[in-house]
Amino acid sequence: MRRLARNRPSPAMVVALIALFVALGTSGYAAITLPRNSVGPEHLKNGSVTPPKVAKKTIALFKGQRGARGAAGPQGAQGAQGAQGAQGATGALGPSGATGESGAAGATGVQGASGLPATKFFAWVDETGALRRGSPGAIATKDPVLTGIYRVMFPGTNLDACVPVVSPGQASNNAFFPNTQLEARISSWPGNPGNASIVLVQTEVASTGAPKVAGFQVAVFC
């Protein structure tokens, strides 16, 4: 007896078993006794039918066709300016462009001032030593002793930095002197205390170099 009493169920267990039997008996009765389509909306409690309890085909019947696309909404306000991006790499050098047309010629400039004459001093001396023509103040003389030696002076000048150039001239009768060669130099040169305003001219026979009497023309370039 003590062993049976020890294995007897508690009152709570008995109540739970009775409730289980009642629930099973009621659902079985409803499944057997309720006719088809006898349960309507008025028999359903709000919230008792959940999506898992509804067939997929039935759910599809609730969905209509997609409607037409609505009109576009108004344009939104302009957003804030973004930060400046990093500078890109330098591009390759492009090809050279075509040569442009020549521009119109510019206006003629104002004429500059006249320069100094290239020939500073000049003289035309005949075979007698007479000055036929020359720069103002020029003086010509023939050496009274040495044949073919003439002196042309340009008073008040210093010709040390100048170069004399001489060529055969005309005689007193306007004749020429063939077979004549001439030499000219400034009377003063380094080591010779001559007169820097005098040009020495020597006339010679071209074929022999012997002194001769002849007229000449001399020009001095400085």
Side-chain angles (χ1 to χ4, degrees):
M1 289 297 290
R2 292 180 181 178
R3 187 175 182 180
L4 292 174
R6 187 183 307 163
N7 295 327
R8 187 174 55 185
S10 64
M13 179 64 73
V14 174
V15 174
L17 291 175
I18 293 173
L20 178 60
F21 292 150
V22 172
L24 292 175
T26 304
S27 61
Y29 174 78
I32 296 173
T33 60
L34 291 176
R36 184 179 181 86
N37 298 327
S38 62
V39 178
E42 65 275 8
H43 301 105
L44 297 176
K45 185 179 179 180
N46 292 337
S48 62
V49 180
T50 58
K53 297 178 181 180
V54 182
K56 293 183 179 180
K57 294 182 179 181
T58 303
I59 295 175
L61 296 176
F62 297 152
K63 296 182 178 179
Q65 295 182 353
R66 184 184 296 272
R69 184 172 183 176
Q75 182 176 358
Q78 183 176 356
Q81 182 177 358
Q84 183 177 357
Q87 183 176 358
T90 302
L93 181 64
S96 299
T99 303
E101 297 180 357
S102 299
T108 304
V110 180
Q111 184 175 359
S114 300
L116 297 175
T119 304
K120 282 287 187 179
F121 308 101
F122 68 95
W124 169 23
V125 180
D126 64 19
E127 74 281 7
T128 65
L131 179 67
R132 304 293 296 270
R133 294 177 186 173
S135 299
I139 301 172
T141 59
K142 178 184 176 184
D143 192 287
V145 177
L146 300 176
T147 302
I149 300 298
Y150 299 86
R151 292 176 177 82
V152 180
M153 177 184 290
F154 301 97
T157 63
N158 187 338
L159 306 179
D160 281 340
C162 302
V163 176
V165 177
V166 65
S167 61
Q170 292 173 284
S172 57
N173 60 355
N174 293 328
F176 290 95
F177 298 93
N179 194 26
T180 302
Q181 67 179 17
L182 303 100
E183 298 177 3
R185 61 177 175 82
I186 307 301
S187 177
S188 64
W189 65 87
N192 180 45
N195 190 331
S197 62
I198 294 178
V199 176
L200 291 178
V201 177
Q202 181 175 350
T203 58
E204 302 172 343
V205 178
S207 58
T208 62
K212 68 175 292 187
V213 173
F216 59 88
Q217 297 168 352
V218 62
V220 181
F221 297 88
C222 301

